[in-house]
Amino acid sequence: MKILAVCGCGCGSSVILKMNATKALKDLGVSADLDVSDITTAKGAASTADLVLVGREMADAMPAVKAPVIVLDSFVNKQEVKDKLEAFFKEKGLL
Amino acid sequence: MAEIVTVNEIELGVEAADWEEAVRAAGAVMVRQGIVTPEYVDAMVETVHTLGPYIVIAPGLAMPHAKAGDRVLRSGISIITLKTPVCFGNRTNDPAYMLVALAGKNDDIHLDILQAISDIFEDEQTVYKLAACEDKQTIADIFNGMEVNLE
């Protein structure tokens, strides 16, 4: 499982998202590789990802990708990240 | 752990008519403190123009930043609270009461800084408490990892 967190420059908010997603996955007992990318390179980076995490305001600018995309309202709300990841993995039958 | 921020990088009750003035005010602190060049401040504004209001990363909290290029002199942050909150056009997180501007030399924003921001603002009420705080040292202590009671 490879997960990509996307933000405008790939150095600030997406890194926070990655930290919180890493913690959430650990709590959920799911192992995955997390990476970050900026919006301009997201299409290429997402081509090998199984899941993409992106903030709501960036979602419109996201290029179309094959991988499912989870849209988040807050980058710092650990509970939101965890709830949405949990729902995703349950739907996929991985939890 | 080294200090993330000092009182010199914090301004409280800043008056800004709109989001751009607010970002420029946070940027001016960074320029004054030798963290970035004025061109970096322009780049932070431009980032919002080109990529939209996603930098309001949580309710009430904006985190302006930009690609470093050669415009970042040293990694650091500035923090401003606003006298009157401003809207960036973010559908879920406007208006912003507080800005934490980031600069990372070589685009390497220190993980300690991002972890601190993530932990401090996990409780969504914190931003409003900090925005109402009238003591720079209290805010600096919170960012530097000291236990501070905001009540």
Side-chain angles (χ1 to χ4, degrees):
Chain A
M1 172 68 64
K2 190 178 157 190
I3 301 174
L4 184 72
V6 178
C7 79
C9 83
C11 58
S13 18
S14 59
V15 180
I16 291 180
L17 204 50
K18 177 183 162 181
M19 287 175 182
N20 291 338
T22 302
K23 184 176 180 301
L25 291 168
K26 198 175 158 201
D27 291 348
L28 294 170
V30 176
S31 68
D33 292 326
L34 277 115
D35 210 348
V36 297
S37 121
D38 67 63
I39 190 77
T40 55
T41 55
K43 193 175 178 67
S47 63
T48 55
D50 302 296
L51 177 63
V52 175
L53 306 177
V54 65
R56 182 162 306 284
E57 294 294 341
M58 194 108 280
D60 299 339
M62 264 293 287
V65 294
K66 270 187 308 185
V69 176
I70 292 180
V71 178
L72 297 151
D73 290 322
S74 166
F75 285 88
V76 294
N77 187 329
K78 295 185 175 74
Q79 194 61 46
E80 185 193 4
V81 177
K82 187 175 174 181
D83 289 347
K84 289 184 173 175
L85 283 170
E86 187 172 14
F88 173 81
F89 286 113
K90 277 191 171 152
E91 194 186 308
K92 290 275 164 193
L94 296 168
L95 268 182
Chain B
M1 194 173 86
E3 288 198 336
I4 287 173
V5 67
T6 72
V7 290
N8 298 324
E9 285 113 34
I10 301 173
E11 294 289 345
L12 305 180
V14 173
E15 294 193 40
D18 55 31
W19 69 262
E20 183 167 338
E21 276 190 31
V23 171
R24 290 193 180 280
V29 175
M30 295 178 123
V31 172
R32 185 187 73 205
Q33 293 303 117
I35 297 171
V36 300
T37 68
E39 290 73 27
Y40 185 80
V41 182
D42 294 337
M44 288 199 296
V45 171
E46 192 55 32
T47 300
V48 179
H49 281 302
T50 53
L51 295 173
Y54 84 98
I55 63 161
V56 193
I57 60 163
L61 174 67
M63 197 174 76
H65 56 291
K67 287 275 189 190
D70 55 6
R71 305 174 291 214
V72 175
L73 307 171
R74 65 178 172 93
S75 296
I77 70 173
S78 71
I79 300 169
I80 67 166
T81 62
L82 298 173
K83 190 172 181 191
T84 312
V86 298
C87 286
F88 282 73
N90 188 297
R91 284 165 286 182
T92 47
N93 297 335
D94 266 345
Y97 288 76
M98 182 171 184
L99 281 73
V100 179
L102 309 178
K105 200 159 170 58
N106 307 316
D107 282 326
D108 181 22
I109 294 169
H110 206 286
L111 291 181
D112 285 344
I113 293 177
L114 296 172
Q115 186 71 60
I117 291 170
S118 176
D119 290 345
I120 291 164
F121 295 104
E122 180 177 11
D123 176 347
E124 294 196 343
Q125 293 309 309
T126 302
V127 67
Y128 304 111
K129 290 178 189 167
L130 289 178
C133 180
E134 292 176 353
D135 179 44
K136 291 180 184 179
Q137 191 62 53
T138 302
I139 293 179
D141 287 348
I142 289 167
F143 275 78
N144 292 325
M146 294 175 63
E147 293 289 333
V148 177
N149 188 354
L150 276 173
E151 296 308 324

Short mmCIF file of all heavy atoms in Angstrom, two decimals, chain B residues 14-56:
data_model
loop_
_atom_site.label_atom_id
_atom_site.label_comp_id
_atom_site.label_asym_id
_atom_site.label_seq_id
_atom_site.Cartn_x
_atom_site.Cartn_y
_atom_site.Cartn_z
N VAL B 14 -2.18 42.32 14.85
CA VAL B 14 -1.83 43.01 13.61
C VAL B 14 -3.09 43.44 12.86
O VAL B 14 -4.06 42.68 12.79
CB VAL B 14 -0.98 42.08 12.71
CG1 VAL B 14 -0.74 42.69 11.34
CG2 VAL B 14 0.33 41.74 13.39
N GLU B 15 -3.06 44.66 12.33
CA GLU B 15 -4.19 45.12 11.53
C GLU B 15 -3.92 44.82 10.05
O GLU B 15 -2.92 45.25 9.51
CB GLU B 15 -4.39 46.62 11.72
CG GLU B 15 -4.82 46.95 13.14
CD GLU B 15 -5.32 48.38 13.27
OE1 GLU B 15 -6.03 48.84 12.36
OE2 GLU B 15 -5.01 49.01 14.29
N ALA B 16 -4.81 44.06 9.45
CA ALA B 16 -4.68 43.73 8.03
C ALA B 16 -6.06 43.82 7.40
O ALA B 16 -7.04 43.29 7.93
CB ALA B 16 -4.11 42.32 7.85
N ALA B 17 -6.14 44.52 6.27
CA ALA B 17 -7.44 44.73 5.62
C ALA B 17 -7.90 43.48 4.89
O ALA B 17 -9.10 43.26 4.71
CB ALA B 17 -7.35 45.91 4.65
N ASP B 18 -6.95 42.66 4.43
CA ASP B 18 -7.32 41.46 3.66
C ASP B 18 -6.22 40.41 3.83
O ASP B 18 -5.21 40.65 4.51
CB ASP B 18 -7.54 41.81 2.19
CG ASP B 18 -6.33 42.51 1.57
OD1 ASP B 18 -5.19 42.25 2.00
OD2 ASP B 18 -6.54 43.34 0.67
N TRP B 19 -6.42 39.25 3.20
CA TRP B 19 -5.47 38.15 3.39
C TRP B 19 -4.07 38.52 2.91
O TRP B 19 -3.07 38.10 3.49
CB TRP B 19 -5.96 36.87 2.72
CG TRP B 19 -5.97 36.88 1.21
CD1 TRP B 19 -7.04 37.13 0.40
CD2 TRP B 19 -4.85 36.66 0.34
NE1 TRP B 19 -6.65 37.06 -0.91
CE2 TRP B 19 -5.32 36.78 -0.99
CE3 TRP B 19 -3.51 36.36 0.54
CZ2 TRP B 19 -4.49 36.63 -2.10
CZ3 TRP B 19 -2.67 36.21 -0.56
CH2 TRP B 19 -3.17 36.34 -1.87
N GLU B 20 -4.00 39.30 1.82
CA GLU B 20 -2.67 39.60 1.28
C GLU B 20 -1.88 40.47 2.24
O GLU B 20 -0.68 40.25 2.47
CB GLU B 20 -2.79 40.27 -0.10
CG GLU B 20 -1.43 40.52 -0.71
CD GLU B 20 -1.47 40.89 -2.19
OE1 GLU B 20 -2.45 40.55 -2.87
OE2 GLU B 20 -0.49 41.51 -2.65
N GLU B 21 -2.57 41.45 2.85
CA GLU B 21 -1.88 42.28 3.85
C GLU B 21 -1.43 41.43 5.03
O GLU B 21 -0.37 41.66 5.60
CB GLU B 21 -2.82 43.40 4.34
CG GLU B 21 -2.84 44.61 3.44
CD GLU B 21 -3.57 45.79 4.09
OE1 GLU B 21 -3.55 45.94 5.33
OE2 GLU B 21 -4.16 46.56 3.32
N ALA B 22 -2.26 40.46 5.39
CA ALA B 22 -1.91 39.59 6.52
C ALA B 22 -0.68 38.75 6.19
O ALA B 22 0.24 38.63 7.00
CB ALA B 22 -3.10 38.70 6.87
N VAL B 23 -0.64 38.18 4.99
CA VAL B 23 0.51 37.37 4.59
C VAL B 23 1.76 38.24 4.52
O VAL B 23 2.85 37.86 4.98
CB VAL B 23 0.26 36.68 3.22
CG1 VAL B 23 1.54 36.01 2.71
CG2 VAL B 23 -0.86 35.64 3.36
N ARG B 24 1.60 39.46 3.98
CA ARG B 24 2.75 40.36 3.90
C ARG B 24 3.24 40.80 5.28
O ARG B 24 4.43 41.00 5.51
CB ARG B 24 2.42 41.57 3.03
CG ARG B 24 2.29 41.20 1.54
CD ARG B 24 2.28 42.41 0.62
NE ARG B 24 2.15 41.97 -0.77
CZ ARG B 24 3.16 41.50 -1.51
NH1 ARG B 24 4.39 41.44 -0.99
NH2 ARG B 24 2.96 41.11 -2.75
N ALA B 25 2.30 40.93 6.22
CA ALA B 25 2.70 41.30 7.59
C ALA B 25 3.52 40.17 8.23
O ALA B 25 4.54 40.41 8.88
CB ALA B 25 1.46 41.61 8.42
N ALA B 26 3.05 38.94 8.02
CA ALA B 26 3.81 37.79 8.56
C ALA B 26 5.17 37.71 7.87
O ALA B 26 6.19 37.39 8.50
CB ALA B 26 3.02 36.50 8.35
N GLY B 27 5.18 38.01 6.55
CA GLY B 27 6.42 37.98 5.79
C GLY B 27 7.38 39.07 6.22
O GLY B 27 8.60 38.86 6.30
N ALA B 28 6.85 40.25 6.55
CA ALA B 28 7.69 41.38 6.97
C ALA B 28 8.47 41.02 8.24
O ALA B 28 9.63 41.41 8.40
CB ALA B 28 6.84 42.62 7.19
N VAL B 29 7.82 40.26 9.13
CA VAL B 29 8.51 39.83 10.35
C VAL B 29 9.69 38.92 9.98
O VAL B 29 10.79 39.04 10.52
CB VAL B 29 7.54 39.10 11.30
CG1 VAL B 29 8.28 38.56 12.51
CG2 VAL B 29 6.40 40.03 11.73
N MET B 30 9.45 38.03 9.01
CA MET B 30 10.52 37.12 8.59
C MET B 30 11.69 37.87 7.95
O MET B 30 12.85 37.54 8.18
CB MET B 30 9.99 36.11 7.57
CG MET B 30 8.95 35.16 8.12
SD MET B 30 8.36 34.05 6.81
CE MET B 30 8.75 32.48 7.54
N VAL B 31 11.36 38.89 7.16
CA VAL B 31 12.42 39.69 6.53
C VAL B 31 13.21 40.43 7.61
O VAL B 31 14.45 40.42 7.61
CB VAL B 31 11.81 40.69 5.51
CG1 VAL B 31 12.89 41.64 5.00
CG2 VAL B 31 11.16 39.93 4.36
N ARG B 32 12.48 41.04 8.54
CA ARG B 32 13.14 41.80 9.63
C ARG B 32 14.07 40.91 10.44
O ARG B 32 15.14 41.34 10.87
CB ARG B 32 12.05 42.38 10.54
CG ARG B 32 12.57 43.29 11.63
CD ARG B 32 11.46 43.68 12.58
NE ARG B 32 11.08 42.55 13.44
CZ ARG B 32 9.88 42.42 14.01
NH1 ARG B 32 8.92 43.32 13.80
NH2 ARG B 32 9.61 41.39 14.78
N GLN B 33 13.68 39.65 10.60
CA GLN B 33 14.47 38.74 11.44
C GLN B 33 15.54 37.98 10.64
O GLN B 33 16.17 37.07 11.17
CB GLN B 33 13.55 37.73 12.13
CG GLN B 33 12.61 38.35 13.15
CD GLN B 33 13.35 39.11 14.23
OE1 GLN B 33 13.21 40.33 14.38
NE2 GLN B 33 14.19 38.41 14.98
N GLY B 34 15.69 38.36 9.37
CA GLY B 34 16.75 37.74 8.57
C GLY B 34 16.48 36.30 8.19
O GLY B 34 17.40 35.53 7.93
N ILE B 35 15.19 35.93 8.15
CA ILE B 35 14.85 34.55 7.78
C ILE B 35 14.74 34.41 6.26
O ILE B 35 15.20 33.43 5.68
CB ILE B 35 13.52 34.13 8.46
CG1 ILE B 35 13.70 34.13 9.99
CG2 ILE B 35 13.07 32.75 7.98
CD1 ILE B 35 12.40 33.93 10.77
N VAL B 36 14.12 35.41 5.62
CA VAL B 36 13.91 35.35 4.17
C VAL B 36 14.18 36.71 3.53
O VAL B 36 14.27 37.72 4.21
CB VAL B 36 12.45 34.94 3.83
CG1 VAL B 36 12.11 33.59 4.41
CG2 VAL B 36 11.46 36.00 4.31
N THR B 37 14.27 36.71 2.20
CA THR B 37 14.36 37.96 1.44
C THR B 37 12.94 38.43 1.12
O THR B 37 11.99 37.64 1.19
CB THR B 37 15.11 37.74 0.12
OG1 THR B 37 14.29 36.90 -0.72
CG2 THR B 37 16.47 37.06 0.33
N PRO B 38 12.78 39.70 0.74
CA PRO B 38 11.44 40.19 0.38
C PRO B 38 10.81 39.39 -0.77
O PRO B 38 9.58 39.27 -0.85
CB PRO B 38 11.71 41.63 -0.05
CG PRO B 38 12.92 42.04 0.72
CD PRO B 38 13.78 40.79 0.78
N GLU B 39 11.65 38.81 -1.63
CA GLU B 39 11.11 38.03 -2.75
C GLU B 39 10.35 36.79 -2.25
O GLU B 39 9.41 36.32 -2.88
CB GLU B 39 12.23 37.60 -3.70
CG GLU B 39 12.84 38.73 -4.52
CD GLU B 39 13.73 39.66 -3.71
OE1 GLU B 39 14.30 39.20 -2.69
OE2 GLU B 39 13.85 40.84 -4.07
N TYR B 40 10.78 36.26 -1.12
CA TYR B 40 10.06 35.10 -0.56
C TYR B 40 8.65 35.50 -0.14
O TYR B 40 7.70 34.72 -0.31
CB TYR B 40 10.83 34.52 0.65
CG TYR B 40 10.21 33.25 1.20
CD1 TYR B 40 10.45 32.03 0.58
CD2 TYR B 40 9.37 33.27 2.30
CE1 TYR B 40 9.87 30.86 1.06
CE2 TYR B 40 8.79 32.11 2.79
CZ TYR B 40 9.04 30.90 2.16
OH TYR B 40 8.46 29.75 2.63
N VAL B 41 8.52 36.71 0.38
CA VAL B 41 7.20 37.19 0.80
C VAL B 41 6.29 37.30 -0.43
O VAL B 41 5.13 36.87 -0.40
CB VAL B 41 7.32 38.56 1.53
CG1 VAL B 41 5.94 39.01 2.00
CG2 VAL B 41 8.29 38.46 2.70
N ASP B 42 6.84 37.84 -1.52
CA ASP B 42 6.07 37.90 -2.77
C ASP B 42 5.64 36.49 -3.20
O ASP B 42 4.52 36.28 -3.66
CB ASP B 42 6.91 38.52 -3.90
CG ASP B 42 7.22 39.99 -3.63
OD1 ASP B 42 6.48 40.63 -2.86
OD2 ASP B 42 8.22 40.48 -4.18
N ALA B 43 6.55 35.54 -3.03
CA ALA B 43 6.26 34.16 -3.44
C ALA B 43 5.15 33.54 -2.58
O ALA B 43 4.32 32.78 -3.08
CB ALA B 43 7.53 33.30 -3.37
N MET B 44 5.12 33.89 -1.30
CA MET B 44 4.04 33.36 -0.44
C MET B 44 2.69 33.90 -0.91
O MET B 44 1.69 33.16 -0.93
CB MET B 44 4.27 33.77 1.03
CG MET B 44 5.42 33.04 1.69
SD MET B 44 5.33 33.10 3.52
CE MET B 44 5.51 34.85 3.84
N VAL B 45 2.66 35.18 -1.28
CA VAL B 45 1.41 35.78 -1.79
C VAL B 45 1.02 35.12 -3.11
O VAL B 45 -0.14 34.74 -3.33
CB VAL B 45 1.58 37.31 -1.97
CG1 VAL B 45 0.38 37.90 -2.70
CG2 VAL B 45 1.75 37.98 -0.61
N GLU B 46 2.03 34.95 -3.97
CA GLU B 46 1.78 34.37 -5.29
C GLU B 46 1.25 32.94 -5.16
O GLU B 46 0.40 32.51 -5.96
CB GLU B 46 3.09 34.40 -6.10
CG GLU B 46 2.93 34.09 -7.58
CD GLU B 46 1.92 34.99 -8.28
OE1 GLU B 46 1.76 36.16 -7.89
OE2 GLU B 46 1.26 34.49 -9.22
N THR B 47 1.74 32.21 -4.19
CA THR B 47 1.28 30.83 -3.97
C THR B 47 -0.23 30.79 -3.74
O THR B 47 -0.92 29.91 -4.25
CB THR B 47 2.02 30.20 -2.77
OG1 THR B 47 3.41 30.18 -3.05
CG2 THR B 47 1.55 28.77 -2.53
N VAL B 48 -0.73 31.76 -2.98
CA VAL B 48 -2.18 31.79 -2.74
C VAL B 48 -2.91 32.14 -4.04
O VAL B 48 -3.95 31.56 -4.36
CB VAL B 48 -2.54 32.79 -1.62
CG1 VAL B 48 -4.05 32.82 -1.40
CG2 VAL B 48 -1.82 32.43 -0.33
N HIS B 49 -2.35 33.09 -4.79
CA HIS B 49 -3.00 33.47 -6.06
C HIS B 49 -3.06 32.28 -7.02
O HIS B 49 -4.06 32.07 -7.70
CB HIS B 49 -2.23 34.62 -6.73
CG HIS B 49 -2.54 35.96 -6.13
ND1 HIS B 49 -3.81 36.48 -6.08
CD2 HIS B 49 -1.74 36.89 -5.56
CE1 HIS B 49 -3.79 37.67 -5.51
NE2 HIS B 49 -2.54 37.95 -5.16
N THR B 50 -1.98 31.50 -7.09
CA THR B 50 -1.94 30.44 -8.10
C THR B 50 -2.56 29.13 -7.60
O THR B 50 -3.20 28.42 -8.38
CB THR B 50 -0.49 30.14 -8.55
OG1 THR B 50 0.30 29.89 -7.39
CG2 THR B 50 0.09 31.32 -9.30
N LEU B 51 -2.39 28.82 -6.33
CA LEU B 51 -2.84 27.51 -5.84
C LEU B 51 -4.09 27.58 -4.99
O LEU B 51 -4.64 26.56 -4.58
CB LEU B 51 -1.72 26.82 -5.06
CG LEU B 51 -0.48 26.46 -5.89
CD1 LEU B 51 0.62 25.95 -4.99
CD2 LEU B 51 -0.81 25.42 -6.95
N GLY B 52 -4.54 28.81 -4.68
CA GLY B 52 -5.78 28.93 -3.94
C GLY B 52 -5.58 28.97 -2.44
O GLY B 52 -4.46 28.95 -1.94
N PRO B 53 -6.71 29.01 -1.74
CA PRO B 53 -6.68 29.28 -0.29
C PRO B 53 -6.44 28.06 0.57
O PRO B 53 -6.85 28.01 1.71
CB PRO B 53 -8.07 29.87 -0.06
CG PRO B 53 -8.92 29.18 -1.06
CD PRO B 53 -8.06 28.92 -2.27
N TYR B 54 -5.75 27.05 0.04
CA TYR B 54 -5.56 25.82 0.83
C TYR B 54 -4.68 26.04 2.05
O TYR B 54 -4.67 25.22 2.96
CB TYR B 54 -4.96 24.71 -0.04
CG TYR B 54 -3.47 24.75 -0.16
CD1 TYR B 54 -2.68 23.93 0.63
CD2 TYR B 54 -2.85 25.61 -1.06
CE1 TYR B 54 -1.30 23.97 0.53
CE2 TYR B 54 -1.48 25.67 -1.16
CZ TYR B 54 -0.70 24.85 -0.36
OH TYR B 54 0.66 24.92 -0.45
N ILE B 55 -3.93 27.17 2.06
CA ILE B 55 -3.03 27.40 3.19
C ILE B 55 -3.76 27.67 4.50
O ILE B 55 -3.14 27.72 5.54
CB ILE B 55 -2.01 28.52 2.91
CG1 ILE B 55 -2.71 29.86 2.71
CG2 ILE B 55 -1.13 28.18 1.72
CD1 ILE B 55 -1.78 31.05 2.89
N VAL B 56 -5.08 27.88 4.41
CA VAL B 56 -5.85 27.91 5.67
C VAL B 56 -6.06 26.44 6.04
O VAL B 56 -7.04 25.81 5.66
CB VAL B 56 -7.19 28.66 5.52
CG1 VAL B 56 -7.79 28.94 6.90
CG2 VAL B 56 -7.01 29.97 4.78
#
